Amino acid sequence: MTTDNRLQTSLHSLTDALPIAWREALSAPSVKNALTQIADYVDARVASGATVYPAAPYRALTTIAPQDVRVVILGQDPYHGPGQAQGLAFSVPDDCRRPPSLRNIFKELAREYPDAPTSPANDLSSWTAQGVLLLNTSLTVEDGQPASHAKRGWEVVTDALIADVARQPGARVFMLWGAHAQAKRALLAPRDDRLVLCANHPSPLSAMRPPVPFLGCGHFAQANAWLENHGRPAVDWASPHTGVARQGTFGL
């Protein structure tokens, strides 16, 4: 059965319900204007009959607080097919056919950790429970139209989110995969407690191409080694799926 992941709640109301810590990160006038602009647009598109995904665009933010983020994995925009996008970059429900980008992510994990389980769950909730922020540069998309909500305000919003996480004390890793993600590199000035890893997007169109092929990038093992060297726990990338029981908000 395909999960109904269509957006059916006003984006304005979902924005108003964000946890306080993230609302504060989005409080600058220019960011609030961008939020209003994208929410107006998305709500109008849904009202006109457009199919917009996912049902919970802010899920990545409601499962983790800014100060608890250890790793940021930045994608482009949500999957644009029915039953796929669930508000976490690259993640899909377990009963959904595994998208090619996610297959390549697991292929790279198997290469870096050959002794770990070879078939992690499609739903990456277990990563978010360990402090991994799975964020896209745009948080909504229309059915069958990749990047359809790009350049309509989301980029200003996600810039503010990334900048806020980057300001938090403590060691963090930022994984920027593909050109859209790497456009955020300017927000991440060099710091002793910050590691920025760049590679091509895991999509089959780019995963093996130069300048930095995703397959063979070694990002997962590099991130863990760096975190441990800076006194933070490593991420168990092959940890069992934790499912909806771990989707509760961290505080409003």
Side-chain angles (χ1 to χ4, degrees):
M1 178 186 297
T2 299
T3 303
D4 186 354
N5 67 326
R6 296 171 299 162
L7 179 62
Q8 300 181 63
T9 305
S10 163
L11 187 59
H12 275 291
S13 64
L14 292 174
T15 301
D16 291 341
L18 277 170
I20 291 173
W22 291 115
R23 292 205 305 269
E24 290 176 348
L26 302 173
S27 61
S30 60
V31 180
K32 294 176 80 170
N33 288 340
L35 268 173
T36 298
Q37 174 184 319
I38 187 61
D40 285 346
Y41 177 77
V42 170
D43 287 349
R45 292 297 297 147
V46 172
S48 72
T51 297
V52 175
Y53 306 123
Y58 295 124
R59 182 178 166 196
L61 305 181
T62 60
T63 54
I64 185 172
Q67 66 270 19
D68 294 331
V69 174
R70 280 188 279 158
V71 179
V72 177
I73 295 180
L74 195 58
Q76 181 172 335
D77 63 345
Y79 296 117
H80 52 85
Q84 293 182 308
Q86 53 179 188
L88 304 175
F90 298 107
S91 179
V92 297
D94 287 340
D95 60 0
C96 179
R97 183 177 180 180
R98 187 171 291 177
S101 293
L102 188 56
R103 287 202 301 270
N104 278 338
I105 288 171
F106 289 148
K107 186 181 294 185
E108 175 59 21
L109 273 171
R111 188 195 69 82
E112 296 183 40
Y113 296 99
D115 297 328
T118 57
S119 298
N122 291 342
D123 185 328
L124 303 178
S125 298
S126 63
W127 292 7
T128 68
Q130 299 178 75
V132 179
L133 179 63
L134 297 168
L135 188 69
N136 283 311
T137 57
S138 294
L139 301 187
T140 54
V141 72
E142 293 189 26
D143 181 59
Q145 301 180 54
S148 49
H149 289 182
K151 299 182 180 179
R152 292 190 175 274
W154 277 131
E155 291 81 2
V156 175
V157 173
T158 51
D159 276 2
L161 295 173
I162 293 165
D164 185 71
V165 171
R167 283 192 294 268
Q168 301 294 326
R172 282 177 183 79
V173 179
F174 294 80
M175 298 183 185
L176 310 182
W177 298 340
H180 282 261
Q182 288 166 28
K184 308 291 190 181
R185 185 69 180 84
L187 301 171
L188 303 170
R191 268 180 26 180
D192 291 343
D193 61 352
R194 179 180 301 157
L195 176 65
V196 180
L197 300 172
C198 297
N200 285 5
H201 194 276
S203 162
L205 297 175
S206 58
M208 297 184 68
R209 292 182 177 177
V212 184
F214 176 80
L215 292 174
C217 69
H219 281 188
F220 300 102
Q222 288 180 58
N224 276 349
W226 191 87
L227 285 170
E228 290 184 313
N229 285 338
H230 286 75
R232 303 201 75 178
V235 176
D236 183 359
W237 300 108
S239 63
H241 167 49
T242 55
V244 295
R246 300 300 293 271
Q247 291 181 23
T249 60
F250 63 80
L252 298 178

